[in-house]
Amino acid sequence: MLRAVLRQSISNTTSRLCTRISSRRFSSRRHRFITNPHHRSLLRQHLKLIPTAKPPLFNTHFFPLLTRAIATSAPQTSPDVYDAPEKLGFEKVSEQFIQECKSNAVLFRHKKTGAEVMSVSNEDENKVFGVVFRTPPKDSTGIPHILEHSVLCGSRKYPLKEPFVELLKGSLHTFLNAFTYPDRTCYPVASTNAKDFYNLVDVYLDAVFFPKCVEDIHTFQQEGWHHELNDPSEDIIYKGVVFNEMKGVYSQPDNILGRSSQQAIFPDNTYGVDSGGDPLDIPKLTFDEFKEFHRKYYHPSNARIWFYGDDDPIERLRILSEYLDMFDASTAPNESIIKPQKLFLEPVRIIKKYPATEGGELEKKHMVCLNWLISDKPLDLETELALGFLDHLLLGTPASPLRKILLESSLGEAIVGGGVESDLLQPQFSIGLKSVSKEDIQKVEDLVMDTLKYLAETGFEADAVEASMNTIEFSLRENNTGSSPRGLVLMLQSIGKWIYDMDPFEPLKYQKPLMALKAKIAAEGSKAVFAPLIEKFILNNPHRVTIEMQPDAKKASCDEAAERELLDNLKAGMSNEDLAKLVRATQELRLKQETPDPPEALKRVPSLSLQDISKKPLQIPIEIGDINGVKVLQHDLFTNDVLYSEVLFDMSSLKQELLPLVPLFCQSLMEMGTKDMEFVQLNQLIGRKTGGISVYPFTSSVRGKVDPCSHMIVRGKAMSGRTEDLFNLINRIIQDVQFTDQKRFKQFISQSKAQMEDQLLGSGHGIAAARMEAKLNVAGWINEQMGGVSYLEFLQALEEKVDLNWNEISSSLEEIRKSLFTKSGCLINLTADGKNLTNSEKYVSKFLDSLPTSSSVKSKTWTARLPSTSEAIVIPTQVNYVGKAANLYETGYEFNGSAYVISKHISNTWLWDHVRVSGGAYGGFCDFDTHSGVFSFLSYRDPNLLKTLDVYDGTSDFLRELEMDDDALTKAIIGTIGEVDSYQLPDAKGYSSLLRYLLGVKEEERQKRREEILSTSLGDLKEFAETINSIKDNGVVVAVASADDVNNANKERPNFFEIKKAL
């Protein structure tokens, strides 16, 4: 686990191809085939009036699992701390002060059950709790995954349908989720409010230990699977949230590859099956097996429990004792032990097929991935750390040799495989390419092996080693966990060893092994450290599995036909009485799903009151100044001696026809060289001197204005002592990079095309949202040109003509640079403490003086939109992504803060109940972009199409007929405040303040909107019904869906969809 910080390194580009998965919200990420946690996704990304989202660049790519809390000294311990644990039934196993995270950590064991508790105390207000069970499955019916969903659907103390949703509605949580690994299931929560935190803890403890689902087959059917039949004359179908979620997973080639790889590497233990569930196997799971799995594994004896933060450590144990004391010890720890996989004596080769679209060059769409099981047992700390370092050297940046050589080979379009993975009992290494020609499969394998042999023989460049080391040490110092609570990241790090009965403290203590590794490299040289690792664990390791994935245009239809035949045969064997019984069962389940919880049950879920909520919005310090005629925003915040900078350039002078080139322009800046420096050297220099630099466009509508806000943002960070280096490198990137490397540019096109195809298959809801926005406003059109279906079409066309038109393309890239990077269109945003802000000014001044004064190109007016027709983007998939949207401002609606409450309430009630619960989709939600006025509905991994649109159209009636008491309304308000006040680290605070400045959101308006949120009434919700009705009548529809579902929709509603084939 220590080496996790190395493998998840900061990307110096806008196009990172070796990322890790975290299936949340609007993410579009490659498979991480080892852990692949199935998150209980909230599936929401509200575009708030008060922007808090960070751009999808270097900070979101980096998720360090070696973190520091906020405390600066060991907490003072009172005498009661020593006596109270014993009185509460706990014995202290070990206590250590973890210098790396400035925390006092105590490992307790509950004497009666053997449950283990890690209690981490520090001054971090973002408190974290988690309970983790070892849950090894024996088959691919998805039982751990279905149980993870189901236990949060009501419990002994909270006997309502979904306490989880009630917490979503009315909590100030900073994290609320659950996820399933191949061998464990995690239930974490976090909050900065102590009362709210303990409410969350109590609901989760009752949920995992005393769930209703083990007594209620309806929950199993809803979350897992069931046969659905509405009328004896209709076809029987499968329904279930997890069933449809996994159909979506198994529609993505990268996910199929990942699962095939894991199961082939581990054929003899629990990792040889899919804990998430294979749609072919999920319907084999019985309710009795489901109940028995909970009885066996969801027991305190099999639990690891984590607390972190500034709350009372004795209160933690008191809460736990109330639950744990109700149990006796069980044999679960022995029954859940993960058996290691023995190493193969010779390599294995496996060929699999994946669903592809008919037409196109299928012969060039093969995938190949080489996978090694590194060891037959867990590794020692120093070896694991060295392997993580090696992983970063091989694959961590665009300049890393294995990554660079594979992509430059032109044998494939993008990297597959996760590199070194050590999240399970035994570590693995995987690497390969996608979009490979059939005849080149062996060439890819040979290239991987030859490159690794060469690196073992010659070693790595000294600059590359220095850059990797700086990246690692910077990341540890910065401690930037993005939007995830630091305590959660620490928990996942610790549990990676703890779950296998190893030392939970060890993964938290990295300084000593890191210093030892640095000393060894200094004394013996990097080759002496890394060459033996390559040879022992990869080159001379017979436990190698090569997976070849072949595209099959008929696979999706054959799979659907096989499912249809199975269900038709089932129906044919049923009597009229059997069919009537199934119809009644379908009706009973739907009735239960649609019956609201009684008020007395809802009141049992603990919640805050409005008195617990601050009446004022969170303030971020900002000082607006001027350096050399350029406006500079400064945010005086403690950043642990890191300076965060954003350099913005106005994009309004850019020609409309050049917009689709902008993403490739950004990648070219970061991955092409200068006159005197190759891109590898430039990349290494960035790694040696800074914490990362990235370049990307930002475009948004501005409320009340016709023209959008559009800027190019160059984002960087460095230790304060490296501020001069940071701005010198930014200047070199934007002014000196040469757009002359035609071969590399062709690689960028291929990589970008592969990324867009991945997004279509895995994040169709994001594609649908972008497409709808492009039909409704100019900013949406611009973004879609640079990241939607239009961009994919541009890439496909550009790939065909890049050789013929290279001079023209190179000139266009230069034209973009000259149009953008001038002093007259510049804005600087800086976040650091006051002293470092002052020290940075002279380097900012020097940087600004180096910029051209102004551009000869005048501002352009962008006016384009896509036609507002209903559109279906057809892809090979077993599930759909369905969207509908309209611009509410065009109907005359005047924005009020109550709209935040209303949209959240619609998501958490009407859409959750009808799109997800009864509809079977993995998610359904709505979003109101208050800057553009666009209100959109979206579904995720949805088995339906027109039915979902009918649900959207029923929203106005839902609001008109809505009745809710004061408690329900208060919950809705508090939950909205929780989102508005989302917890942020310093860099995110500075960035959010920048976005408010750009979009004209002033503090007076923030206060006004907060007051409107807090004073939201039932009347506001009912009144909004008329506003939202415009979406029903005039909304645009975009669905990313299968050809069969689109054709059936057009039969039912003739010519409803215009069809666009995207893949």
Side-chain angles (χ1 to χ4, degrees), residues 603-651:
K603 291 182 184 298
R604 296 182 70 170
V605 178
S607 61
L608 302 175
S609 69
L610 291 180
Q611 283 66 46
D612 296 312
I613 306 301
S614 171
K615 300 297 186 290
K616 295 185 178 296
L618 299 173
Q619 302 292 317
I620 297 172
I622 181 172
E623 182 177 323
I624 303 173
D626 181 284
I627 297 179
N628 296 0
V630 172
K631 196 159 289 186
V632 178
L633 314 182
Q634 296 186 333
H635 312 284
D636 185 351
L637 296 166
F638 175 74
T639 60
N640 212 15
D641 206 34
V642 176
L643 176 86
Y644 298 99
S645 72
E646 286 85 25
V647 182
L648 285 74
F649 297 95
D650 188 359
M651 281 179 57

Side-chain angles (χ1 to χ4, degrees), residues 311-340:
D311 58 311
D312 182 0
I314 299 305
E315 180 64 12
R316 300 170 177 176
L317 299 182
R318 188 196 65 74
I319 292 170
L320 288 178
S321 67
E322 292 181 4
Y323 281 92
L324 303 184
D325 288 349
M326 288 186 267
F327 293 85
D328 295 315
S330 84
T331 59
N334 296 326
E335 296 177 38
S336 67
I337 290 175
I338 311 301
K339 296 179 181 179

Side-chain angles (χ1 to χ4, degrees), residues 645-676:
S645 72
E646 286 85 25
V647 182
L648 285 74
F649 297 95
D650 188 359
M651 281 179 57
S652 64
S653 61
L654 199 61
K655 292 178 182 176
Q656 187 166 294
E657 60 267 25
L658 293 178
L659 288 171
L661 262 181
V662 165
L664 293 169
F665 169 78
C666 294
Q667 187 172 2
S668 298
L669 287 176
M670 299 306 307
E671 296 188 41
M672 285 191 182
T674 66
K675 287 180 180 178
D676 56 358

